[in-house]
Amino acid sequence: MKEQLELLEKEAIEKIEQTADIKELQSIKVAYLGKKGSLTGVLRGMGKLSKEERPVIGELANSVREAITTAIEQKNEGLEHAALEEKLTDEAIDVTLPGRPVHAGGPHLLTKIVEEIEDLFIGMGFEVREGPEVETDYFNFEALNLPKDHPARDMQDTFYLTNELLLRTHTSPVQARTMQAYEDSKSVKMICPGKVYRRDTDDATHSHQFTQIEGLYVDKHVKMSDLKGILDTFAKKLFGEDREIRLRPSFFPFTEPSVEMDISCKVCNGEGCSVCKGTGWIEILGAGMVHPNVLSMAGYDPKVYSGFAFGMGPERIAMLKYGINDIRQFYTNDIRFLKQFHNA
Ligand code: 2NL
């Protein structure tokens, strides 16, 4: 029986050493130490032993059980450790690999230009106001000295929703509404940025929808020199302190007199080049003294109150500032175009 036990131990230890699989190790344990295992089988024969032999064999059996148990435990530990090592190697993250780039968005170039212009005028005491894009014929045309059948309406043909409702052709109705709302104080100093619409065929310089920023300053004693001073400051802040402005006579139905403002060409410094078409000047905006009819219709006595107004297209301003040659670039949302101005 002694030999039997020694053989059993040797055999078991060998099997344990040879296996590399935790499940197999488990079945080895069952095969040797389990209720129906080999060791139990051998011990069943203990009854036939003499009184003297029994404790000797019992002790041996215990040491065999212990040896096998220890070997299994050690092997199990080793296998578990190896499995963990393998898992760690397999699932290792290489922290030295370059990360996936995060594509951060940013404000649209047009938004940035509008906000830059807003900031400049806020700095000169102007308030920013907005109004509806669907307007009444009255506020879009009548209140701005453009009565029905006025020929200047043709220039601003637009999208009508009904006979009386239309998509605004300029932001001027916001100003007409504000003048009416401020009838008590009769002091208005505002700019109004926003989308406007015209029935136009889209090309490199035309769009049926574009952006406008208009400004209005109405009070007692507002003069043409105030207009010139404000616009000169604006032009220098936006395009550079070394820019000159010039005013040329023009016509708008809602201003009298009306002017067109140019800035000296930055490319040639006024010498004349292809950008300014040889003139040395670049047209930036239209302006003028608010027409007496516009003041009266809003409830302001034109003998007491006066004002100036101006209007500009931020797309055009951005095109000049950044050398963009197609207005449609602002609306087609080509990320390759937009990205170029993220740090502008
Ligand atoms: C241009 C010219 C202009 C105005 C807009 C205006 C508004 C009121 C009264 C008088 Cl409520 N005028 N706006 C005046 C002159 C010119 O815009 O070329 N815009 C792109």
Side-chain angles (χ1 to χ4, degrees):
M1 219 170 154
K2 192 173 168 239
E3 286 88 64
Q4 241 182 314
L5 282 170
E6 277 164 2
L7 188 70
L8 193 141
E9 177 178 341
K10 194 170 164 261
E11 205 185 272
I13 299 290
E14 248 167 43
K15 277 194 182 157
I16 291 164
E17 267 164 14
Q18 273 161 20
T19 186
D21 184 89
I22 287 186
K23 269 193 193 137
E24 199 182 304
L25 190 66
Q26 199 56 40
S27 41
I28 293 172
K29 187 178 179 180
V30 172
Y32 285 93
L33 307 178
K35 263 187 194 160
K36 289 174 188 160
S38 319
L39 185 64
T40 321
V42 174
L43 293 177
R44 221 166 260 144
M46 288 258 284
K48 294 176 197 141
L49 295 173
S50 66
K51 245 184 182 172
E52 293 73 33
E53 279 176 319
R54 224 174 267 169
V56 180
I57 294 299
E59 204 175 310
L60 181 63
N62 275 339
S63 89
V64 167
R65 174 183 294 280
E66 215 158 279
I68 295 174
T69 307
T70 310
I72 287 174
E73 270 169 11
Q74 270 169 6
K75 186 73 184 186
N76 192 53
E77 216 169 279
L79 288 178
E80 271 179 357
H81 184 73
L84 181 66
E85 279 296 314
E86 194 184 316
K87 200 169 143 94
L88 284 175
T89 321
D90 281 357
E91 295 175 7
I93 295 166
D94 183 353
V95 293
T96 65
L97 283 174
R100 290 199 186 90
V102 176
H103 295 286
H108 194 281
L109 174 60
L110 203 47
T111 306
K112 294 215 275 196
I113 287 280
V114 169
E115 286 178 355
E116 188 181 352
I117 295 171
E118 283 178 9
D119 285 348
L120 292 180
F121 280 101
I122 288 168
M124 294 188 282
F126 287 74
E127 154 190 30
V128 179
R129 291 188 58 100
E130 292 183 357
E133 287 172 34
V134 174
E135 261 300 355
T136 58
D137 182 276
Y138 177 80
F139 279 114
N140 194 78
F141 290 128
E142 299 260 342
L144 293 157
N145 203 30
L146 279 152
K148 288 205 161 60
D149 303 318
H150 192 289
R153 282 199 182 198
D154 292 347
M155 273 175 15
Q156 300 194 2
D157 202 3
T158 188
F159 303 101
Y160 282 84
L161 287 93
T162 68
N163 268 341
E164 286 304 315
L165 283 179
L166 49 94
L167 295 182
R168 67 184 183 191
T169 59
H170 43 196
T171 52
S172 319
V174 184
Q175 300 178 304
R177 286 174 179 277
T178 307
M179 277 200 279
Q180 249 186 30
Y182 286 15
E183 218 194 343
D184 292 339
S185 72
K186 292 201 167 56
S187 169
V188 182
K189 203 174 179 189
M190 63 172 291
I191 59 162
C192 47
K195 291 193 195 86
V196 299
Y197 304 82
R198 291 190 192 175
R199 204 216 59 77
D200 233 333
T201 305
D202 293 1
D203 63 23
T205 54
H206 297 81
S207 173
H208 62 282
Q209 185 213 297
F210 57 103
T211 319
Q212 208 182 22
I213 301 180
E214 282 187 71
L216 175 72
Y217 179 22
V218 176
D219 212 322
K220 286 175 180 164
H221 317 300
V222 176
K223 303 178 296 292
M224 189 100 185
S225 53
D226 297 316
L227 164 73
K228 199 175 173 189
I230 293 276
L231 292 183
D232 186 51
T233 305
F234 163 71
K236 286 183 161 66
K237 287 240 165 81
L238 195 65
F239 289 100
E241 289 298 326
D242 51 348
R243 295 303 95 204
E244 302 286 330
I245 65 157
R246 94 177 165 180
L247 302 179
R248 286 178 289 111
S250 184
F251 171 81
F252 299 108
F254 23 83
T255 45
E256 183 60 37
S258 303
V259 294
E260 216 93 49
M261 184 180 92
D262 302 335
I263 58 162
S264 56
C265 179
K266 200 177 181 110
V267 177
C268 62
N269 230 337
E271 294 291 311
C273 67
S274 62
V275 174
C276 57
K277 297 185 185 87
T279 64
W281 296 94
I282 293 172
E283 188 187 317
I284 291 296
L285 54 78
M289 300 308 289
V290 178
H291 196 287
N293 290 353
V294 174
L295 289 170
S296 313
M297 272 183 283
Y300 294 60
D301 181 354
K303 288 196 176 68
V304 182
Y305 294 93
S306 57
F308 70 72
F310 56 87
M312 68 184 105
E315 282 94 339
R316 181 177 160 73
I317 299 214
M319 286 167 88
L320 289 170
K321 204 168 162 172
Y322 297 108
I324 298 158
N325 54 25
D326 195 322
I327 195 171
R328 290 168 293 195
Q329 296 264 252
F330 289 103
Y331 317 118
T332 41
N333 283 336
D334 185 333
I335 206 81
R336 292 165 302 179
F337 169 78
L338 299 175
K339 255 189 352 199
Q340 295 175 57
F341 305 101
H342 274 184
N343 298 313

